[in-house]
Amino acid sequence: MGETDLAPFLKELVRQVRAQDTYDFWSGRPDADLLEPFIVDKKKAREIPVVGDPDLRTLNRINQFYGAVSLSIEQKTGIMATPVLQLSHEGFGRIVLVCGRLVVVSKNLRDAHRFGFPTLEKLAADGEALVNDAAMWIQKFNDAAQAD
Amino acid sequence: MGETDLAPFLKELVRQVRAQDTYDFWSGRPDADLLEPFIVDKKKAREIPVVGDPDLRTLNRINQFYGAVSLSIEQKTGIMATPVLQLSHEGFGRIVLVCGRLVVVSKNLRDAHRFGFPTLEKLAADGEALVNDAAMWIQKFNDAAQAD
């Protein structure tokens, strides 16, 4: 899969992961390999235990996904979005993306250990939907989004 | 110090701590004892190392303080506020309190290990100031605060 075949949100996610790849782990490997950890289908999910803390790789994936959503929001609307992620030790938590004084994305997380999407298409669609939803909120409450 | 002498914000904070005191640790002890861990003056701060994760007691104090702010906001404005706290391993982080779609409190944290206030008066004043500031934002962007 060449980069040109990817949905816009997936391109942004790939850029996020490659930008953080300070040890050149993904260097020279195709985008599809790099996106593969984001795909967690039912079978794969069942194999991941949900006890204890989500591991660092899972946390990184959550941060990369919402980082890509934040950057896509900025590209679409011109307003910077920053994520605030609260995770408890049991994989429960909440993520909000904030533009100025406005919450543009708000999601409760559970079983964060199993964070992922059943298919690449669903990953792209869910990311895109969050970005569009955020843009709608920014349009609706533009003054709050511009405030600081 | 009797409960009647306490500033309104401190009364709320005391209620928070006592409500979470499931092991009756504070039962029968005066409010002043219970508020004492929130007082971190310069000398006490210097004695707290800022390496590694903030310990569980410090995390509890941060949660109790912002929990009391949230409940005080609800009492003052009738709108429920919920805290979202992101803390990194080095004691850096961010706390936002959210009413509907509105961020009513937003603070960066650093050296969270040393979370506290130089005096009881400063604790009361800072808590009260956050509540008043939140009420101002809710008045300014009421539609966003009512949205979900």
Side-chain angles (χ1 to χ4, degrees), chain A:
Chain A
M1 179 170 34
E3 191 179 328
T4 45
D5 299 329
L6 289 178
F9 178 74
L10 297 184
K11 282 192 198 175
E12 189 54 54
L13 183 55
V14 165
R15 267 196 291 272
Q16 277 279 301
V17 178
R18 293 208 185 274
Q20 291 172 26
D21 186 26
T22 45
Y23 292 102
D24 285 337
F25 180 75
W26 294 113
S27 177
R29 294 172 67 178
D31 293 343
D33 284 14
L34 175 156
L35 290 169
E36 195 275 331
F38 290 92
I39 309 307
V40 179
D41 58 20
K42 276 187 181 170
K43 183 173 173 295
K44 200 162 148 189
R46 269 195 303 269
E47 288 163 4
I48 304 169
V50 290
V51 289
D53 281 348
D55 65 17
L56 201 60
R57 284 183 186 191
T58 307
L59 282 179
N60 280 343
R61 274 204 301 281
I62 297 174
N63 283 321
Q64 286 161 347
F65 175 78
Y66 286 103
V69 172
S70 297
L71 284 169
S72 301
I73 291 169
E74 186 171 359
Q75 282 158 22
K76 195 183 175 87
T77 68
I79 295 178
M80 199 180 80
T82 46
V84 185
L85 170 67
Q86 174 174 307
L87 262 193
S88 80
H89 291 283
E90 301 84 23
F92 280 82
R94 190 168 177 200
I95 174 104
V96 293
L97 304 194
V98 172
C99 292
R101 284 278 161 178
L102 186 66
V103 175
V104 297
V105 169
S106 175
K107 281 188 90 75
N108 291 311
L109 302 173
R110 63 191 185 93
D111 295 345
H113 312 69
R114 293 171 175 166
F115 181 80
F117 301 83
T119 62
L120 208 57
E121 289 69 30
K122 187 84 168 94
L123 167 61
D126 282 11
E128 198 71 19
L130 289 174
V131 175
N132 290 336
D133 208 38
M136 184 275 291
W137 285 110
I138 289 171
Q139 196 169 25
K140 186 167 183 172
F141 296 121
N142 197 260
D143 288 354
Q146 305 273 4
D148 53 25

Side-chain angles (χ1 to χ4, degrees), chain B residues 8 10 31 41 61 89 104 112 128:
Chain B
L10 296 184
D31 294 343
D41 57 19
R61 274 205 300 282
H89 291 283
V104 297
E128 197 72 20

Side-chain angles (χ1 to χ4, degrees), chain B residues 1 36 39 58 94 134 138:
Chain B
M1 178 171 35
E36 194 275 330
I39 309 307
T58 307
R94 190 170 177 198
I138 290 171

